[in-house]
Amino acid sequence: TTPIATPPIPSARDGTHDLNVNPQATLFFIMGCCSSCCRKKSEASAETEMTAKGAGSKESGKSVVISRKMSSPKVQINGTKVSGVGLALAGVPVEQDAAYWEWHIEGPDGEGDQDEEDESDAPKFGVATKKDGKFFKALEVQADDGDSTPEEDGTALMRAISVVNGDTVGVAVQQSDLPMVQFLLNGEPLHDMAINRFRGTVYPSIYLVDGFTATAVFDEDHWQEMSPHARFGPVIAARGII
């Protein structure tokens, strides 16, 4: 740090000032210089801090979208909106301890009470491990031979939930302590559907059925419901596969 030159203190002996000097005015003058110096340093520090925060916000603001590479070729993708039939994965894994996101549903209007039999033809929600083109080609072969199991079609960590037009499905994933996937329908917890214990890297996912369109909402400003707990934040796009 470059030392700051202090202005000469008025003196009766240097011949540059009048002998009748006001000591109090001299003291105020020196204090004013020090105050100005501190203020400039404070402003510089604040500017540096704001710049650092701005850079971090830009990085964390990276959008999360549905991955074309990890989704079925039978699924149509537009950003976070998906339609068609088959499995679709987001391009970013769930890496934090607790994360929450929503699926906003467009589809048939509900008529009367829904029963459990409807869930066999309902969309599935949850998480899935990484997928690629080879997986979906193998899945097509299995489909020709007969029905696939959840382990084979990639939906082992997903649950079928009967939904109608306008519904909101919330998915909450926690990985610390006891790994768990929780589900909510229009803000109401579906405790019986919770998945306890899973291993490996997982991605937000959905298995679509004919007649439905779903939009994944990872931005908390656009959530329609509350997450189960304050610790469940939005998925952080630290890295991903588009």
Side-chain angles (χ1 to χ4, degrees):
T1 303
T2 304
I4 301 174
T6 304
I9 301 175
S11 172
R13 291 179 296 177
D14 60 9
T16 57
H17 296 279
D18 190 275
L19 292 176
N20 297 323
V21 174
N22 187 336
Q24 185 176 7
T26 302
L27 178 61
F28 286 165
F29 177 77
I30 296 174
M31 292 178 63
C33 292
C34 294
S35 176
S36 176
C37 174
C38 293
R39 184 166 56 251
K40 289 180 180 179
K41 289 183 178 180
S42 177
E43 290 173 355
S45 299
E47 183 178 356
T48 303
E49 183 179 356
M50 291 178 65
T51 302
K53 288 183 177 180
S57 300
K58 183 177 181 181
E59 181 67 23
S60 63
K62 177 183 175 184
S63 61
V64 181
V65 297
I66 305 302
S67 171
R68 177 71 275 172
K69 294 180 179 179
M70 293 197 295
S71 300
S72 169
K74 296 180 180 179
V75 173
Q76 290 77 53
I77 301 173
N78 182 12
T80 60
K81 191 171 187 177
V82 291
S83 59
V85 177
L87 183 64
L89 279 68
V92 171
V94 182
E95 294 186 318
Q96 65 260 51
D97 289 339
Y100 173 83
W101 63 91
E102 294 182 347
W103 292 96
H104 296 173
I105 307 300
E106 299 175 38
D109 293 323
E111 295 181 2
D113 295 332
Q114 295 175 301
D115 53 41
E116 294 183 357
E117 294 181 358
D118 294 331
E119 292 181 356
S120 61
D121 296 323
K124 296 180 180 180
F125 306 86
V127 295
T129 56
K130 185 178 178 180
K131 300 294 182 286
D132 56 21
K134 293 181 180 180
F135 168 82
F136 290 108
K137 288 181 179 179
L139 192 60
E140 288 182 7
V141 174
Q142 293 173 358
D144 293 338
D145 296 337
D147 294 336
S148 301
T149 65
E151 288 74 16
E152 294 172 335
D153 66 11
T155 62
L157 299 177
M158 305 175 70
R159 291 290 184 265
I161 301 177
S162 297
V163 291
V164 297
N165 186 54
D167 278 349
T168 296
V169 175
V171 182
V173 176
Q174 68 178 40
Q175 304 195 75
S176 59
D177 299 329
L178 178 65
M180 178 183 296
V181 183
Q182 303 175 61
F183 303 93
L184 303 92
L185 179 59
N186 299 323
E188 295 297 325
L190 304 175
H191 296 295
D192 294 340
M193 292 188 176
I195 298 173
N196 296 321
R197 297 181 182 178
F198 63 89
R199 299 176 64 182
T201 302
V202 295
Y203 297 75
S205 59
I206 185 172
Y207 191 95
L208 282 167
V209 297
D210 192 32
F212 285 93
T213 297
T215 301
V217 181
F218 300 104
D219 184 353
E220 60 184 323
D221 291 336
H222 296 91
W223 290 346
Q224 293 184 349
E225 306 292 344
M226 297 287 291
S227 65
H229 191 276
R231 71 175 183 273
F232 289 90
V235 174
I236 299 174
R239 59 184 174 85
I241 301 174
I242 304 301

